[in-house]
Amino acid sequence: MNITFRQEQPKDYSQTEALIEQAFRNEVMTDHQEHFLVDRIRKSNAFIPELSIVAVNQQNNIIGHILFSIISIENKEQATPSLALAPISVHPDYQNKGIGSMLMKEGLEKAKAAGYRSIIVLGHADYYPRFGFKPASLWGIEAPFDVPEEAFMALELEPGVLERTSGIVHYSKAFSE
Ligand SMILES: CC(C)(COP(=O)(O)OP(=O)(O)OC[C@H]1O[C@@H](n2cnc3c(N)ncnc32)[C@H](O)[C@@H]1OP(=O)(O)O)[C@@H](O)C(=O)NCCC(=O)NCCS
């Protein structure tokens, strides 16, 4: 299987959105609105074009996508910039073949290279820890909404970088529109 990874381009948008809709179709813990979220993030100032990455198969079809966008972790003293990972999608025909893991690896490397220092994710507590994510509560980082503690996770892109960070995560408006 020859899969390549590259930055998403505007010409890809409709194909990416169709892929996201298909990837989440059989998920139960979702409102099936993820493709609309991606559209709103792209139009917002939280969007980082190089951190919208697609996986492409040999026929040039988009079969996976990952998106990281700007958030901040805020307390009374400081606002620390961070990234939200949301969403990650692999086409149902291509799931469980390692493509999600490769998208994660590619995304984490690009995020680190671009100078970002941490990532926050809300998701499956038995999926993200394999990439190093831990409950955000370990650092006193909280979600701005009610969520099971183990599903709200954080990853340090530089060891120790979250040690002096605590507070509530502020998502861009794209997440609440
Ligand atoms: C989650 C997703 C991106 C993983 O991509 P993938 O290419 O199938 O993942 P990989 O092949 O790299 O890894 C497969 C592993 O992930 C696990 N996994 C996949 N989906 C999972 C889920 N929803 N919860 C927990 N583990 C999951 C598989 O059980 C498998 O585990 P194993 O390695 O121990 O056998 C993909 O399944 C997907 O698009 N799902 C629908 C959308 C979604 O739920 N996105 C994440 C929102 S939090």
Side-chain angles (χ1 to χ4, degrees):
M1 200 170 41
N2 193 358
I3 308 292
T4 52
F5 300 89
R6 61 167 172 79
Q7 183 178 324
E8 187 196 34
Q9 302 297 321
K11 67 175 168 49
D12 301 320
Y13 286 0
S14 57
Q15 215 197 122
T16 307
E17 284 160 31
L19 152 80
I20 296 168
E21 204 180 351
Q22 279 177 302
F24 279 90
R25 192 163 284 165
N26 300 322
E27 283 292 305
V28 282
M29 301 280 283
T30 162
D31 52 9
H32 302 279
Q33 303 288 303
E34 289 79 8
H35 53 302
F36 296 124
L37 170 66
V38 168
D39 177 50
R40 290 195 303 271
I41 292 173
R42 288 201 208 95
K43 291 172 178 156
S44 78
N45 54 12
F47 183 51
I48 310 157
E50 69 260 42
L51 295 185
S52 183
I53 299 167
V54 288
V56 179
N57 69 7
Q58 260 172 316
Q59 291 74 41
N60 232 6
N61 295 320
I62 293 174
I63 49 105
H65 173 249
I66 192 167
L67 179 62
F68 301 85
S69 57
I70 295 171
I71 53 170
S72 70
I73 305 165
E74 300 184 15
N75 60 32
K76 280 189 192 130
E77 278 89 47
Q78 58 183 2
T80 308
S82 183
L83 292 176
L85 160 53
I88 175 169
S89 320
V90 172
H91 189 284
D93 292 349
Y94 288 84
Q95 288 176 9
N96 290 310
K97 298 179 196 297
I99 294 165
S101 302
M102 288 190 274
L103 270 169
M104 283 288 290
K105 187 168 174 279
E106 186 79 11
L108 298 181
E109 279 171 14
K110 288 266 176 339
K112 195 173 174 181
Y116 295 96
R117 305 172 81 185
S118 65
I119 295 176
I120 302 287
V121 72
L122 169 62
H124 306 291
D126 43 1
Y127 184 62
Y128 296 97
R130 69 184 66 194
F131 307 106
F133 284 86
K134 295 178 183 160
S137 58
L138 287 177
W139 293 278
I141 298 170
E142 295 169 33
F145 35 70
D146 274 342
V147 62
E149 194 174 313
E150 69 281 3
F152 196 67
M153 293 166 268
L155 174 73
E156 293 180 319
L157 293 173
E158 254 176 60
V161 80
L162 289 176
E163 290 304 324
R164 290 168 307 281
T165 307
S166 64
I168 297 176
V169 170
H170 287 243
Y171 286 91
S172 73
K173 268 198 287 192
F175 282 84
S176 48
E177 279 168 354

